Amino acid sequence: MSAPFDRSLTGEVESGPGHEFGVSPQAGDEERVVESALRPHSLTDFIGQPKVARQLALVLEGAKRRGRPPDHVLLSGPPGLGKTSLALIIGSELGTSVKITSGPAIERSGDLAAMLSNLGPGDVLFIDEIHRIARPAEELLYMAMEDFRVDVVVGKGPGATAIPLEINPFTLVGATTRAGLLTGPLRDRFGFVGQMEFYEPAELQLVLARSAELLGVELTDDGSAEIARRSRGTPRIANRLLRRVRDYAEVEADGRVTRAVARAALALYDVDDLGLDRLDRAVLEALVSRFSGGPVGVSTLAVAVGEESHTVEEVCEPFLVRAGLLARTPRGRVATEAAWQHLGRPVPRGGIPLGGVTAVPRDPGSSSEPLFDA
């Protein structure tokens, strides 16, 4: 279990101010290297998600006392909140190895059967984005989760034979950002379901303090607070912003991350006070200036900002809706009164066509509403 945590922090590939910089919760390849070094190793080190952590601790402790693998675990929630970290912690707490794969990578049932047959007693199989697993592989998973057995079909047509293959008892940990896309039979086979929530700014400050210590960054309290409030309630984004502010502090300042340094660095990287990046603001600007606040269809809005429709819908819109800057209506997307105010534009005299709704910008990290529609 030491491999995922022992990578050098110097393996990070830095990006300068000239590179496109965003606050997407999705992780890039180089970022995963740094994330693995910053991940907590135990539930006591894990910050945030108190309810899920407490419930999971009881599940794991009960299983260890009985000497049996714990029930299968499903972790759902937006990206960047710690689902992979918790999966690795489960293996660490149980003292077993963790085999990692993803739903899109399992295209055939034979791929999954080979993976399951190589698991040792009590091992943890972590499947990220489990809602995207192929249907034949999902059906094979049903029997493996319940009876620790898989049927391998040999041959084709009338002569095909199903050979039962016993596998070692294991724990499946599934992670998904779209719990509503899971089929009922698969969802019902998980004994524990944890819903990950967005972090409060105070929790993100604890995450930043821990990461700063590991990275050797001198981070002041006001500097931490400035980064935390622009991090969209997501630890992955907070750690990413910390690394970029560290770069600025080392090159343009004395190396200390203060509030003034953090503000200057984030302004350079186009991250504003609410955590909006260039694309978020481009969507709002297009909606307000070109379409008079809407309503307008997402396809038209995507063309206006030069992006694909799914990028606007899946990357930008969830945060803009959660922050109260954009509303989805039956007629299309509409900029709220808060969006006009955030852009420094006067609100139209006729008001916002939202049926009387005038959203107020909120701290993005304090909302418990789901980021993705299930």
Side-chain angles (χ1 to χ4, degrees):
M1 280 301 300
S2 61
F5 307 116
D6 292 343
R7 296 178 183 175
S8 171
L9 296 181
T10 59
E12 179 185 2
V13 177
E14 304 290 356
S15 59
H19 287 73
E20 179 73 17
F21 181 80
V23 283
S24 167
Q26 304 291 346
D29 293 337
E30 290 84 6
E31 187 168 20
R32 290 190 177 93
V33 176
V34 183
E35 279 189 354
S36 65
L38 297 179
R39 294 190 195 281
H41 298 191
S42 65
L43 283 173
T44 56
D45 294 333
F46 188 82
I47 299 171
Q49 312 295 339
K51 183 179 293 186
V52 174
R54 174 60 175 162
Q55 293 171 346
L56 194 55
L58 292 175
V59 171
L60 298 179
E61 182 61 29
K64 287 191 287 186
R65 294 187 180 187
R66 291 188 298 269
R68 296 179 57 84
D71 287 343
H72 304 298
V73 176
L74 176 65
L75 301 173
S76 65
L81 297 185
K83 297 185 292 295
T84 300
S85 294
L86 280 179
L88 295 174
I89 285 174
I90 290 173
S92 179
E93 294 281 351
L94 296 174
T96 60
S97 62
V98 181
K99 306 297 175 60
I100 303 176
T101 186
S102 64
I106 305 176
E107 298 179 350
R108 297 180 296 273
S109 59
D111 299 335
L112 182 60
M115 195 174 300
L116 293 171
S117 63
N118 288 325
L119 292 175
D123 279 358
V124 174
L125 175 62
F126 173 55
I127 303 181
D128 197 11
E129 296 298 303
I130 194 171
H131 64 273
R132 297 175 61 188
I133 191 172
R135 190 56 185 268
E138 178 182 325
E139 293 176 350
L140 181 74
L141 197 57
Y142 297 161
M143 188 177 299
M145 294 174 70
E146 288 189 334
D147 303 326
F148 301 116
R149 178 173 68 89
V150 294
D151 288 337
V152 180
V153 179
V154 178
K156 295 182 179 180
T161 304
I163 302 176
L165 176 65
E166 299 292 332
I167 59 176
N168 290 312
F170 71 100
T171 297
L172 173 65
V173 179
T176 177
T177 55
R178 305 293 292 272
L181 296 183
L182 288 174
T183 61
L186 179 59
R187 185 169 55 248
D188 293 342
R189 283 170 168 78
F190 287 98
F192 173 79
V193 178
Q195 175 65 45
M196 310 290 281
E197 304 288 349
F198 287 101
Y199 280 58
E200 298 290 342
E203 294 174 325
L204 288 176
Q205 285 190 254
L206 296 176
V207 172
L208 288 167
R210 179 181 180 275
S211 299
E213 182 178 355
L214 293 174
L215 292 171
V217 178
E218 186 177 353
L219 177 65
T220 64
D221 291 340
D222 57 354
S224 174
E226 187 66 28
I227 297 174
R229 74 185 185 91
R230 304 191 191 203
S231 299
R232 303 189 180 206
T234 306
R236 176 177 293 159
I237 295 176
N239 285 328
R240 185 186 305 161
L241 295 181
L242 173 63
R243 297 196 302 274
R244 299 290 74 79
V245 174
R246 173 196 61 181
D247 296 340
Y248 183 91
E250 291 176 352
V251 176
E252 300 290 341
D254 59 0
R256 296 175 66 248
V257 177
T258 62
R259 181 182 182 183
V261 170
R263 290 179 66 89
L266 295 177
L268 178 65
Y269 286 115
D270 289 329
V271 180
D272 69 13
D273 291 343
L274 290 183
L276 272 61
D277 64 5
R278 180 200 60 81
L279 183 56
D280 297 324
R281 288 194 302 276
V283 169
L284 288 183
E285 287 280 2
L287 189 55
V288 168
S289 61
R290 301 185 188 181
F291 304 106
S292 303
V296 62
V298 65
S299 299
T300 304
L301 192 58
V303 171
V305 297
E307 291 286 349
E308 297 291 336
S309 298
H310 68 86
T311 302
V312 173
E313 192 168 13
E314 297 178 11
V315 177
C316 299
E317 279 193 355
F319 177 72
L320 294 177
V321 171
R322 185 163 57 88
L325 300 173
L326 181 143
R328 291 172 173 171
T329 71
R331 297 176 58 196
R333 276 55 175 174
V334 177
T336 66
E337 182 177 329
W340 289 82
Q341 294 172 349
H342 182 68
L343 296 176
R345 305 289 185 88
V347 180
R349 290 184 178 181
I352 308 298
L354 291 176
V357 176
T358 55
V360 178
R362 298 167 297 185
D363 184 346
S366 63
S367 172
S368 60
E369 298 176 3
L371 179 61
F372 292 91
D373 295 330

